[in-house]
Amino acid sequence: MTATMHTPEFIRHRFYYVLLLTWLAYCAYVSSRRPFGVVRRSIEESEGLTPFQLGMVDTAFLSMYCVGQFFYGELKAVLSPVNTIAIGLVISACSLAVFSVSSGFHVFCLLWAVNGLANACGWPSCIRIITPWIRPEERGRVMGLWASCQAAGGIVGNAAAAYFLGAFGWRSALLQSAGFVALVGVLNKLYLTDHPQSVGFTAQDREPTADAESPEPGKEENDKEKIGARVSVWSILGTPGVTPVAISHFCEKIIRYTLLFWLPYYLTKRLGFDKVVAGYSSTAFDVGGVGGSIASGFVADSWKSGRRRVTVATAFLALAGCSILPFALWPDIFSQNLALPVTSCFLVGFFLLGFDSLLTGAVIQDIATRANMSGHVSAISGVIGGSGSFGSIIQGVMTTSITSYVSWEALWVFLCVLITIACISLTPAIRKEVVTKHTHGQTM
């Protein structure tokens, strides 16, 4: 443990110029994805798009998001993470602004694809900046608190879009989001700090050892050199622990993006609630996600001193499946009482985002540390995120196909099957956690 961790200057700088700014950055990224889901029904009515075409607009976003994350390892050698975050936010804001004054299926696809590519800059860059500022033993709780930005972004994005939709129409819902996203991009460019060394502090991202109180000579310099180096997708996929996490993230992203993109539409079309009410009600998923992100991090760090993080994540995912089942079992009852679907949305968000924040935060950082690849943590995050994005791409066509040819209830059952597959994929990692004695913070 380094002394700088305890100085007021380090704590203050880390909070205001690293954690808070990156929290706002990813909150803005997430909020930029939400207006289309809220105004989907209005676009269907005013622009004459079919549900299949609406799903293809989602697919355009997710395809470019996937491509961008997979090849982030190449981008990080060209741009600093601060510039990557700021440029991504500004491009996202521009795509939203142009979308708000455009019409036509192909134009919508193009603009939403640009937004997807810009969004791919977000999570890996934020993880890349945050990792050297936190110690391995505090990863769960710090990343859990920080990852609440995902849910907060959803709340801001859905609630603001629902308000502007009801007050001024669907185009204003996209335009207001553009203004917020652009403002956060400028703030990050002006004030965000990249690496502890750049302001005279010591990097914190190494496992504590019994016989060492400081990093070995040259270690910090080597880590910082790695941050700007290129790394291939294939070398990342060969890193121990990446494959099971990537498979589970693939399944979870199908589920998560089905809920993110289609909940307001489902509440309106299947359950019969008003469009504005549906937009506000769908924020229950994200409200639950704030609590779930924080809770999963604290539980993971507390249980066996942080050596059961994958086990905790899997338990949260299984509970998310239990929370989805009521949508399949009692749709008619749900349509009669808004409180019931809202409660289920809250519980699904609590457990699903609790799983997601732990898996894509502390667990990825643990993988990078154990493989001596802390300088490449953003590339590892990008590849795992890209694998998950394949699932996100599938969900657009999958959702429209299942709901059109079978039923909404069949969709919820299918999501539960995917959760089962994701839990099974993590079984070897859980077994290794149970039977192997690891040093503090290791998970697989």
Side-chain angles (χ1 to χ4, degrees):
M1 186 186 305
T2 58
T4 54
M5 189 62 195
H6 300 289
T7 64
E9 292 81 7
F10 180 93
I11 295 171
R12 183 168 55 251
H13 194 98
R14 183 178 74 162
F15 178 77
Y16 287 110
Y17 296 98
V18 180
L19 296 178
L20 180 58
L21 282 172
T22 52
W23 189 94
L24 283 172
Y26 203 70
C27 176
Y29 272 118
V30 173
S31 72
S32 75
R33 309 168 193 175
R34 295 307 186 87
F36 183 73
V38 174
V39 305
R40 184 188 303 272
R41 181 65 170 163
S42 296
I43 291 178
E44 181 183 40
E45 294 172 348
S46 66
E47 299 294 316
L49 271 63
T50 66
F52 178 79
Q53 288 176 315
L54 293 169
M56 291 306 296
V57 176
D58 287 335
T59 300
F61 174 98
L62 295 166
S63 297
M64 295 310 296
Y65 184 79
C66 176
V67 170
Q69 287 212 312
F70 257 114
F71 291 98
Y72 183 87
E74 298 294 328
L75 178 64
K76 81 184 189 72
V78 180
L79 289 174
S80 71
V82 173
N83 286 334
T84 303
I85 288 172
I87 291 171
L89 286 168
V90 171
I91 293 174
S92 176
C94 290
S95 70
L96 286 163
V98 178
F99 197 116
S100 71
V101 296
S102 301
S103 295
F105 168 64
H106 294 98
V107 176
F108 288 161
C109 283
L110 175 62
L111 292 171
W112 217 233
V114 171
N115 193 21
L117 189 61
N119 266 259
C121 300
W123 188 268
S125 297
C126 290
I127 295 297
R128 178 179 170 187
I129 288 175
I130 292 170
T131 296
W133 290 89
I134 58 177
R135 294 173 294 171
E137 61 266 30
E138 62 180 350
R139 282 174 180 162
R141 56 185 181 273
V142 172
M143 290 306 299
L145 286 164
W146 180 85
S148 64
C149 61
Q150 298 184 74
I155 295 170
V156 171
N158 277 24
Y163 172 78
F164 278 85
L165 171 64
F168 308 107
W170 72 264
R171 294 184 184 277
S172 66
L174 289 123
L175 189 58
Q176 60 81 25
S177 181
F180 170 65
V181 172
L183 175 62
V184 175
V186 172
L187 288 175
N188 272 266
K189 174 59 181 175
L190 292 177
Y191 300 111
L192 181 59
T193 301
D194 184 349
H195 195 276
Q197 287 180 261
S198 65
V199 285
F201 296 115
T202 303
Q204 305 289 309
D205 57 327
R206 275 173 294 277
E207 297 283 1
T209 59
D211 57 353
E213 292 296 325
S214 59
E216 58 189 83
K219 182 67 168 62
E220 276 196 39
E221 288 73 10
N222 291 338
D223 281 352
K224 198 163 184 207
E225 285 174 10
K226 286 182 182 180
I227 290 176
R230 282 185 170 86
V231 59
S232 71
V233 173
W234 304 114
S235 63
I236 295 299
L237 289 173
T239 302
V242 168
T243 299
V245 171
I247 293 171
S248 64
H249 196 44
F250 168 81
C251 296
E252 183 259 339
K253 272 294 189 77
I254 296 177
I255 301 160
R256 184 178 167 199
Y257 274 82
T258 298
L259 295 167
L260 293 183
F261 287 170
W262 292 92
L263 261 180
Y265 186 84
Y266 167 77
L267 292 172
T268 301
K269 185 135 185 177
R270 175 63 180 89
L271 300 186
F273 296 110
D274 176 75
K275 287 181 290 187
V276 176
V277 171
Y280 283 122
S281 298
S282 63
T283 61
F285 177 85
D286 301 291
V287 173
V290 172
S293 296
I294 296 170
S296 66
F298 275 85
V299 172
D301 276 1
S302 300
W303 192 18
K304 301 292 184 180
S305 301
R307 295 191 295 270
R308 295 290 187 272
R309 286 178 181 146
V310 177
T311 305
V312 172
T314 306
F316 269 70
L317 185 59
L319 290 170
C322 296
S323 303
I324 288 174
L325 270 179
F327 284 103
L329 297 176
W330 304 305
D332 293 333
I333 297 176
F334 274 25
S335 66
Q336 298 170 18
N337 188 341
L338 181 62
L340 295 177
V342 167
T343 300
S344 289
C345 286
F346 176 89
L347 292 174
V348 174
F350 183 93
F351 293 117
L352 193 65
L353 290 182
F355 166 83
D356 184 88
S357 65
L358 189 56
L359 194 80
T360 58
V363 170
I364 286 178
Q365 290 169 333
D366 288 343
I367 290 173
T369 299
R370 289 198 313 275
N372 194 26
M373 295 181 68
S374 292
H376 295 311
V377 66
S378 60
I380 295 173
S381 176
V383 169
I384 290 175
S387 301
S389 295
F390 275 126
S392 306
I393 294 168
I394 292 170
Q395 70 78 28
V397 176
M398 179 205 75
T399 299
T400 54
S401 298
I402 294 177
T403 56
S404 297
Y405 296 106
V406 189
S407 66
W408 280 98
E409 289 67 49
L411 174 67
W412 305 126
V413 172
F414 182 70
L415 297 187
C416 291
V417 172
L418 288 174
I419 285 178
T420 303
I421 295 171
C423 291
I424 292 172
S425 73
L426 292 172
T427 300
I430 295 172
R431 186 181 300 114
K432 187 175 291 187
E433 281 187 335
V434 173
V435 302
T436 307
K437 291 183 178 179
H438 292 282
T439 58
H440 183 83
Q442 293 179 343
T443 60
M444 286 187 284

Coordinates of all heavy atoms in Angstrom, one line a residue, residues 78-128:
V78 N -3.2 5.6 -30.4 CA -3.3 6.9 -31.1 C -3.7 8.0 -30.3 O -3.2 9.1 -30.4 CB -4.2 6.7 -32.4 CG1 -4.2 8.0 -33.2 CG2 -3.7 5.5 -33.2
L79 N -4.8 7.8 -29.5 CA -5.4 8.9 -28.7 C -5.2 8.6 -27.2 O -5.3 7.5 -26.8 CB -6.9 9.0 -29.0 CG -7.3 9.6 -30.4 CD1 -8.8 9.5 -30.6 CD2 -6.8 11.0 -30.6
S80 N -5.1 9.7 -26.5 CA -5.1 9.5 -25.0 C -6.5 9.2 -24.6 O -7.5 9.6 -25.3 CB -4.6 10.8 -24.3 OG -5.6 11.9 -24.5
P81 N -6.7 8.6 -23.4 CA -8.1 8.3 -23.0 C -8.9 9.5 -22.7 O -10.1 9.5 -22.9 CB -7.8 7.5 -21.7 CG -6.5 7.8 -21.2 CD -5.7 8.1 -22.5
V82 N -8.3 10.6 -22.3 CA -9.0 11.9 -22.1 C -9.6 12.4 -23.4 O -10.8 12.7 -23.5 CB -8.1 12.9 -21.4 CG1 -8.9 14.3 -21.3 CG2 -7.7 12.5 -20.0
N83 N -8.7 12.4 -24.4 CA -9.2 12.9 -25.7 C -10.2 11.9 -26.3 O -11.2 12.3 -27.0 CB -8.0 13.0 -26.7 CG -7.2 14.2 -26.4 OD1 -7.7 15.2 -25.8 ND2 -5.9 14.2 -26.7
T84 N -10.0 10.6 -26.1 CA -11.0 9.6 -26.6 C -12.4 9.8 -26.0 O -13.4 9.8 -26.7 CB -10.5 8.2 -26.3 OG1 -9.2 8.0 -26.9 CG2 -11.4 7.2 -26.9
I85 N -12.4 10.0 -24.7 CA -13.7 10.3 -24.0 C -14.4 11.6 -24.5 O -15.6 11.6 -24.9 CB -13.5 10.4 -22.5 CG1 -13.2 9.0 -21.9 CG2 -14.7 11.0 -21.8 CD1 -12.8 9.0 -20.4
A86 N -13.6 12.6 -24.6 CA -14.2 13.9 -25.0 C -14.7 13.9 -26.5 O -15.8 14.4 -26.8 CB -13.1 15.0 -24.8
I87 N -13.8 13.3 -27.4 CA -14.2 13.3 -28.8 C -15.4 12.4 -29.0 O -16.4 12.7 -29.7 CB -13.0 12.8 -29.6 CG1 -11.9 13.8 -29.7 CG2 -13.5 12.4 -31.1 CD1 -10.6 13.3 -30.3
G88 N -15.5 11.3 -28.3 CA -16.6 10.4 -28.4 C -17.9 11.1 -27.9 O -19.0 10.9 -28.6
L89 N -17.9 11.8 -26.8 CA -19.1 12.5 -26.4 C -19.5 13.6 -27.4 O -20.7 13.7 -27.6 CB -18.8 13.1 -25.0 CG -18.7 12.2 -23.8 CD1 -18.2 12.8 -22.6 CD2 -20.1 11.5 -23.5
V90 N -18.6 14.3 -27.9 CA -19.0 15.4 -28.9 C -19.6 14.7 -30.1 O -20.6 15.3 -30.7 CB -17.8 16.2 -29.2 CG1 -18.1 17.2 -30.4 CG2 -17.3 17.0 -28.0
I91 N -19.0 13.7 -30.6 CA -19.6 13.0 -31.8 C -21.0 12.5 -31.5 O -21.9 12.6 -32.3 CB -18.6 11.9 -32.3 CG1 -17.3 12.4 -32.8 CG2 -19.3 11.0 -33.4 CD1 -16.3 11.4 -33.2
S92 N -21.1 11.9 -30.3 CA -22.4 11.4 -29.9 C -23.5 12.5 -29.9 O -24.6 12.4 -30.4 CB -22.4 10.7 -28.6 OG -23.6 10.3 -28.1
A93 N -23.1 13.7 -29.4 CA -24.0 14.8 -29.3 C -24.4 15.3 -30.7 O -25.5 15.6 -30.9 CB -23.3 15.9 -28.5
C94 N -23.4 15.3 -31.6 CA -23.7 15.7 -33.0 C -24.7 14.8 -33.6 O -25.6 15.2 -34.4 CB -22.4 15.8 -33.8 SG -21.3 17.2 -33.3
S95 N -24.5 13.5 -33.4 CA -25.4 12.5 -34.1 C -26.8 12.6 -33.5 O -27.8 12.5 -34.3 CB -24.9 11.1 -33.8 OG -25.1 10.7 -32.5
L96 N -27.0 12.9 -32.2 CA -28.3 13.1 -31.6 C -29.0 14.4 -32.2 O -30.2 14.4 -32.5 CB -28.2 13.2 -30.1 CG -27.9 11.9 -29.3 CD1 -27.4 12.2 -27.9 CD2 -29.1 11.1 -29.3
A97 N -28.2 15.5 -32.3 CA -28.7 16.7 -32.8 C -29.2 16.6 -34.2 O -30.3 17.1 -34.6 CB -27.6 17.8 -32.7
V98 N -28.4 15.9 -35.1 CA -28.8 15.8 -36.5 C -30.0 14.8 -36.6 O -30.9 15.0 -37.4 CB -27.6 15.2 -37.3 CG1 -28.1 15.0 -38.8 CG2 -26.5 16.2 -37.3
F99 N -30.0 13.8 -35.7 CA -31.2 12.8 -35.7 C -32.5 13.6 -35.4 O -33.5 13.3 -36.0 CB -30.9 11.8 -34.6 CG -31.8 10.5 -34.7 CD1 -31.2 9.3 -35.0 CD2 -33.1 10.6 -34.6 CE1 -32.0 8.2 -35.1 CE2 -33.9 9.5 -34.7 CZ -33.3 8.2 -34.9
S100 N -32.4 14.6 -34.5 CA -33.6 15.3 -34.1 C -34.3 16.1 -35.2 O -35.4 16.5 -35.1 CB -33.3 16.2 -32.9 OG -32.5 17.3 -33.3
V101 N -33.5 16.4 -36.3 CA -34.1 17.1 -37.4 C -34.2 16.3 -38.7 O -34.4 16.9 -39.8 CB -33.3 18.4 -37.6 CG1 -33.3 19.3 -36.4 CG2 -31.8 18.1 -38.0
S102 N -34.0 15.0 -38.6 CA -34.0 14.1 -39.7 C -35.2 13.3 -39.8 O -36.0 13.2 -38.9 CB -32.7 13.2 -39.7 OG -31.5 14.0 -39.7
S103 N -35.4 12.6 -41.0 CA -36.4 11.7 -41.2 C -35.9 10.6 -42.2 O -35.0 10.8 -42.9 CB -37.7 12.4 -41.9 OG -38.2 13.3 -41.0
G104 N -36.6 9.4 -42.1 CA -36.3 8.3 -43.0 C -35.5 7.2 -42.3 O -34.6 7.5 -41.5
F105 N -35.8 6.0 -42.7 CA -35.2 4.8 -42.1 C -33.7 4.8 -42.3 O -33.0 4.6 -41.3 CB -35.9 3.6 -42.7 CG -35.2 2.3 -42.4 CD1 -35.1 1.8 -41.1 CD2 -34.6 1.5 -43.4 CE1 -34.4 0.6 -40.8 CE2 -34.0 0.3 -43.2 CZ -33.9 -0.1 -41.9
H106 N -33.2 5.0 -43.5 CA -31.8 4.9 -43.8 C -31.0 6.0 -43.1 O -29.9 5.7 -42.6 CB -31.5 4.9 -45.3 CG -32.1 3.7 -46.0 ND1 -33.3 3.7 -46.6 CD2 -31.6 2.4 -46.1 CE1 -33.6 2.5 -47.2 NE2 -32.6 1.7 -46.9
V107 N -31.5 7.2 -43.0 CA -30.8 8.2 -42.3 C -30.8 7.9 -40.8 O -29.7 8.1 -40.2 CB -31.6 9.6 -42.5 CG1 -30.9 10.7 -41.7 CG2 -31.6 9.9 -44.0
F108 N -31.9 7.4 -40.3 CA -31.9 7.1 -38.8 C -30.8 6.0 -38.6 O -30.1 6.1 -37.6 CB -33.2 6.6 -38.4 CG -34.3 7.6 -38.3 CD1 -35.7 7.3 -38.4 CD2 -34.0 9.0 -38.2 CE1 -36.6 8.3 -38.3 CE2 -34.9 10.0 -38.1 CZ -36.3 9.6 -38.2
C109 N -30.7 5.0 -39.4 CA -29.7 3.9 -39.3 C -28.3 4.5 -39.3 O -27.5 4.1 -38.4 CB -29.9 2.9 -40.4 SG -31.2 1.8 -40.1
L110 N -28.0 5.4 -40.2 CA -26.7 6.0 -40.3 C -26.3 6.8 -39.1 O -25.2 6.6 -38.5 CB -26.6 6.9 -41.6 CG -25.3 7.6 -41.7 CD1 -24.1 6.7 -41.9 CD2 -25.4 8.6 -43.0
L111 N -27.2 7.6 -38.6 CA -26.9 8.5 -37.5 C -26.8 7.7 -36.2 O -26.0 8.0 -35.4 CB -28.0 9.6 -37.4 CG -28.1 10.6 -38.5 CD1 -29.3 11.4 -38.4 CD2 -26.8 11.5 -38.4
W112 N -27.7 6.7 -36.1 CA -27.6 5.9 -34.8 C -26.3 5.0 -34.8 O -25.8 4.6 -33.8 CB -28.8 5.0 -34.7 CG -29.3 4.9 -33.2 CD1 -29.5 3.8 -32.5 CD2 -29.5 6.0 -32.3 NE1 -29.9 4.0 -31.2 CE2 -29.9 5.4 -31.1 CE3 -29.4 7.4 -32.4 CZ2 -30.1 6.2 -29.9 CZ3 -29.6 8.1 -31.2 CH2 -30.0 7.5 -30.0
A113 N -25.8 4.6 -36.0 CA -24.6 3.9 -36.1 C -23.4 4.7 -35.7 O -22.5 4.3 -35.0 CB -24.4 3.4 -37.6
V114 N -23.4 6.0 -36.1 CA -22.4 7.0 -35.7 C -22.4 7.1 -34.1 O -21.3 7.1 -33.5 CB -22.6 8.3 -36.3 CG1 -21.6 9.4 -35.7 CG2 -22.4 8.2 -37.8
N115 N -23.6 7.2 -33.6 CA -23.7 7.3 -32.1 C -23.1 6.0 -31.5 O -22.5 6.1 -30.4 CB -25.2 7.5 -31.7 CG -25.3 7.9 -30.3 OD1 -24.4 8.4 -29.6 ND2 -26.5 7.6 -29.7
G116 N -23.4 4.9 -32.1 CA -22.9 3.6 -31.5 C -21.3 3.6 -31.5 O -20.7 3.1 -30.5
L117 N -20.7 4.0 -32.6 CA -19.3 4.1 -32.7 C -18.7 5.0 -31.7 O -17.7 4.7 -31.0 CB -18.9 4.5 -34.1 CG -17.4 4.4 -34.4 CD1 -16.9 2.9 -34.3 CD2 -17.1 4.9 -35.8
A118 N -19.3 6.2 -31.5 CA -18.9 7.1 -30.5 C -19.0 6.5 -29.1 O -18.1 6.7 -28.2 CB -19.7 8.4 -30.6
N119 N -20.1 5.8 -28.8 CA -20.3 5.2 -27.5 C -19.3 4.2 -27.1 O -19.0 3.9 -26.0 CB -21.7 4.6 -27.4 CG -22.7 5.6 -26.8 OD1 -23.1 5.5 -25.6 ND2 -23.2 6.5 -27.6
A120 N -18.7 3.5 -28.2 CA -17.7 2.5 -27.9 C -16.4 3.1 -27.3 O -15.6 2.3 -26.7 CB -17.3 1.8 -29.3
C121 N -16.2 4.4 -27.3 CA -15.1 5.0 -26.7 C -15.2 5.1 -25.2 O -14.2 5.3 -24.5 CB -14.9 6.4 -27.2 SG -14.6 6.5 -29.0
G122 N -16.5 4.9 -24.7 CA -16.7 5.3 -23.3 C -16.2 4.4 -22.2 O -15.2 4.7 -21.5
W123 N -16.7 3.2 -22.1 CA -16.3 2.3 -21.0 C -14.8 1.9 -21.0 O -14.2 2.1 -19.9 CB -17.2 1.0 -21.0 CG -17.0 0.2 -19.8 CD1 -16.2 -0.9 -19.6 CD2 -17.7 0.3 -18.6 NE1 -16.3 -1.4 -18.4 CE2 -17.2 -0.8 -17.7 CE3 -18.8 1.1 -18.1 CZ2 -17.7 -0.9 -16.4 CZ3 -19.2 0.9 -16.8 CH2 -18.7 -0.1 -16.0
P124 N -14.2 1.5 -22.1 CA -12.8 1.1 -22.0 C -11.9 2.3 -21.6 O -11.0 2.1 -20.8 CB -12.5 0.7 -23.4 CG -13.8 0.2 -24.0 CD -14.8 1.2 -23.4
S125 N -12.2 3.5 -22.1 CA -11.4 4.7 -21.7 C -11.6 5.0 -20.2 O -10.6 5.3 -19.6 CB -11.9 5.9 -22.6 OG -11.6 5.6 -23.9
C126 N -12.8 4.9 -19.7 CA -13.0 5.2 -18.3 C -12.3 4.2 -17.4 O -11.6 4.5 -16.4 CB -14.5 5.2 -18.0 SG -15.4 6.6 -18.7
I127 N -12.4 2.9 -17.8 CA -11.7 1.8 -17.0 C -10.2 2.0 -17.1 O -9.5 1.9 -16.1 CB -12.1 0.4 -17.6 CG1 -13.6 0.2 -17.3 CG2 -11.2 -0.6 -16.9 CD1 -14.0 0.1 -15.9
R128 N -9.7 2.4 -18.2 CA -8.3 2.7 -18.4 C -7.8 3.8 -17.5 O -6.7 3.7 -17.0 CB -8.1 3.0 -19.9 CG -6.7 3.4 -20.3 CD -6.7 3.7 -21.8 NE -5.4 4.3 -22.3 CZ -5.2 4.8 -23.5 NH1 -6.2 4.7 -24.4 NH2 -4.1 5.3 -23.8

